């Protein structure tokens, strides 16, 4: 077993960094791990215009520690009323993607899309301008079982979306099911998926082991073991269309350890260590670089980062909590030991 692994510096193709003091607390963690990150626009209020995205970008950059190279790649939050013309302005401003949240699907998604027919002209403009569509792929129909919402979203919406806009680049984000992985594997070059570290490492038992475990609660929720295995197979397959996206989503610890706990796992602090653990368990450490550092840039038409990072097999203990403005932030596996460590 290798004790050290040096790979091209990875990127995070799905990240939440919030705003204000929370942003200043978490951005340094991602900047230490990654060269670039796709920054989610689900602030309150959401980032819906190019001007808002550029101002947000400046706030992210201001939180990057001196001497660290980290490039935030910005996204717009798609609403029922996003004007098609915003797609051209987005491309001209270097904004890479728009995010589709079905209204009500997850944290801060109430401004999301209520009906895909409302946004057809905007999606056509995105297709024309080369703006990538990032999809939170879950139906919001309360009659659908929470664990089935991704598979049903593919049937009810993604198949049609794919047919309607054949050249639109679509990322099925944080894919969590064997149905999702299979769909993406067969969908052709314009369709990709990101996979989180927590969905590679855990199945839904983690939510209930020894008591209710709120820090393992995210959306889409962890699924059965057969799904986790399908995700590991996809991530380690060497495919160009599955790549790293942490979906690291920080919430104050008190709002996760709550009667109505927020969805989101905070993994950015030790993201590469967690992915290395998952790839090592699959006997596929040699595939980590492709998944973490090469497939994503290829899909987005960018060059891989020019620098490298080194992971060492060196046990260390995660802090119990991290500062988060006035609150506390509990990283996934807080207080527990990780086998891999990112070298300084
Ligand atoms: O668990 C999640 N947390 N899923 C999402 O889709 C949103 C995210 C957040 O922003 O907290
Ligand atoms: Zn997310």
């Amino acid at each position: 077993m290798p004790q050290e692994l040096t790979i091209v510096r990875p990127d995070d193709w799905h990240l939440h960094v919030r705003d204000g003091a929370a942003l200043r607390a978490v951005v340094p963690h991602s900047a230490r791990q990654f060269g670039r990150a796709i920054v989610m626009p689900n602030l309150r209020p959401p980032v819906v215009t190019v001007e808002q995205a550029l101002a947000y970008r400046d706030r992210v950059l201001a939180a990057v520690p001196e001497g660290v190279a980290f490039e935030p790649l910005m996204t717009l939050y798609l609403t029922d009323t996003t004007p098609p013309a915003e797609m051209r302005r987005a491309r001209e401003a270097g904004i890479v993607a728009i995010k589709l949240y079905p209204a009500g699907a997850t944290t801060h998604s109430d401004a999301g899309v209520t009906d895909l027919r409302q946004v057809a002209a905007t999606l056509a403009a995105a297709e024309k301008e080369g703006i990538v569509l990032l999809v939170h792929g879950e139906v919001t129909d309360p009659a659908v079982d929470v664990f089935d919402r991704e598979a049903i979203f593919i049937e009810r919406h993604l198949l049609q979306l794919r047919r309607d806009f054949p050249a639109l680049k679509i990322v099925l984000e944080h894919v969590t099911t064997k149905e999702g992985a299979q769909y993406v594997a067969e969908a052709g070059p314009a369709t990709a998926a990101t996979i989180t570290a927590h969905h590679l490492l855990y199945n839904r038992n983690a939510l209930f082991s020894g008591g209710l475990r709120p820090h393992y609660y995210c959306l889409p929720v962890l699924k059965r073991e057969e799904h986790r295995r399908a995700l590991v197979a996809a991530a380690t397959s060497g495919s160009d269309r599955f790549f790293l996206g942490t979906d690291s989503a920080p919430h104050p610890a008190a709002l996760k350890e709550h009667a109505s706990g927020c969805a989101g796992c905070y993994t950015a602090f030790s993201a590469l260590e967690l992915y290395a653990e998952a790839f090592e368990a699959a006997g596929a450490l040699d595939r980590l670089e492709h998944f973490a550092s090469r497939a994503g840039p290829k899909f987005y038409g960018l060059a891989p980062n020019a620098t490298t990072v080194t992971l060492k097999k060196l046990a260390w203990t995660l802090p119990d909590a991290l500062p988060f403005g006035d609150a506390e932030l509990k990283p996934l596996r807080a207080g527990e030991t990780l086998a891999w460590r990112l070298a300084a």
Side-chain angles (χ1 to χ4, degrees):
M1 275 290 179
Q3 299 298 303
E4 196 174 298
L5 182 67
T6 295
I7 59 173
V8 168
R9 179 171 283 274
D11 303 300
D12 185 349
W13 300 97
H14 181 136
L15 176 66
H16 300 267
V17 293
R18 316 304 187 201
D19 212 343
L23 175 145
R24 290 189 287 278
V26 297
V27 164
H29 302 159
S30 289
R32 184 173 169 267
Q33 297 250 334
F34 297 105
R36 295 167 286 203
I38 294 261
V39 176
M40 288 296 126
N42 64 331
L43 303 182
R44 247 190 181 136
V47 178
V48 296
T49 67
V50 168
E51 289 68 35
Q52 287 168 340
L54 294 178
Y56 187 31
R57 180 174 185 273
D58 288 343
R59 300 197 294 281
V60 176
L61 282 172
V64 175
E66 200 62 41
V68 175
F70 177 72
E71 186 185 358
L73 301 170
M74 305 312 290
T75 62
L76 296 185
Y77 188 117
L78 181 64
T79 73
D80 285 350
T81 57
T82 303
E86 201 70 7
M87 298 300 100
R88 184 179 51 80
R89 287 195 285 271
R91 181 192 32 85
E92 288 169 358
I95 287 161
V96 297
I98 45 172
K99 171 76 186 235
L100 164 63
Y101 286 107
T106 186
T107 310
H108 301 173
S109 64
D110 32 300
V113 173
T114 59
D115 184 335
L116 280 167
R117 284 169 299 193
Q118 301 270 0
V119 295
T122 300
L123 294 180
E127 179 178 39
K128 176 164 168 269
E129 301 295 342
I131 298 287
V132 176
L133 177 68
L134 307 176
V135 180
H136 183 109
E138 288 193 287
V139 291
T140 54
D141 180 349
V144 176
D145 190 281
V146 166
F147 293 94
D148 297 334
R149 287 183 183 176
E150 180 175 291
I152 303 281
F153 181 89
I154 295 168
E155 279 174 36
R156 286 193 194 167
H157 303 296
L158 194 51
L159 292 171
Q160 190 61 42
L161 207 54
R162 190 60 294 171
R163 279 195 290 269
D164 289 347
F165 307 100
L168 180 64
K169 283 190 183 176
I170 298 178
V171 180
L172 178 60
E173 300 189 279
H174 41 54
V175 63
T176 63
T177 57
K178 64 173 198 267
E179 290 85 355
Q182 188 182 346
Y183 170 74
V184 170
E186 293 169 358
T191 309
T194 55
I195 309 182
T196 78
H198 41 291
H199 289 99
L200 291 176
L201 288 169
Y202 302 107
N203 63 38
R204 65 194 194 178
N205 288 354
L207 283 161
F208 308 107
S209 84
L212 196 56
R213 304 280 218 105
H215 295 287
Y216 289 81
Y217 174 57
C218 63
L219 288 171
V221 71
L222 294 170
K223 303 294 192 302
R224 283 180 184 277
E225 177 65 6
E226 60 175 315
H227 297 290
R228 188 193 70 82
R229 285 175 191 260
L231 302 179
V232 170
T236 60
S237 66
S239 161
D240 286 342
R241 292 184 299 101
F242 292 97
F243 40 84
L244 187 158
T246 62
D247 197 16
S248 178
H251 291 277
L255 294 184
K256 287 199 62 72
E257 299 163 5
H258 188 274
S260 174
C262 294
C265 299
Y266 188 64
T267 54
F269 186 71
S270 54
L272 294 177
E273 289 91 333
L274 294 170
Y275 280 108
E277 184 175 314
F279 274 66
E280 183 178 41
L285 271 178
D286 59 328
R287 296 278 170 90
L288 182 61
E289 182 178 69
H290 185 80
F291 173 78
S293 316
R294 295 195 183 278
K298 198 164 172 184
F299 186 79
Y300 278 85
L302 300 169
N305 291 311
T307 56
T308 60
V309 295
T310 297
L311 284 152
K312 295 191 172 168
K313 193 89 186 269
L314 207 64
W316 63 294
T317 303
L318 275 177
D320 291 327
L322 300 161
F324 192 53
D326 295 335
E328 265 191 346
L329 176 59
K330 297 213 180 145
L332 194 75
R333 299 258 291 269
E336 294 178 34
T337 299
L338 298 185
W340 287 91
R341 183 156 206 179
L342 182 64

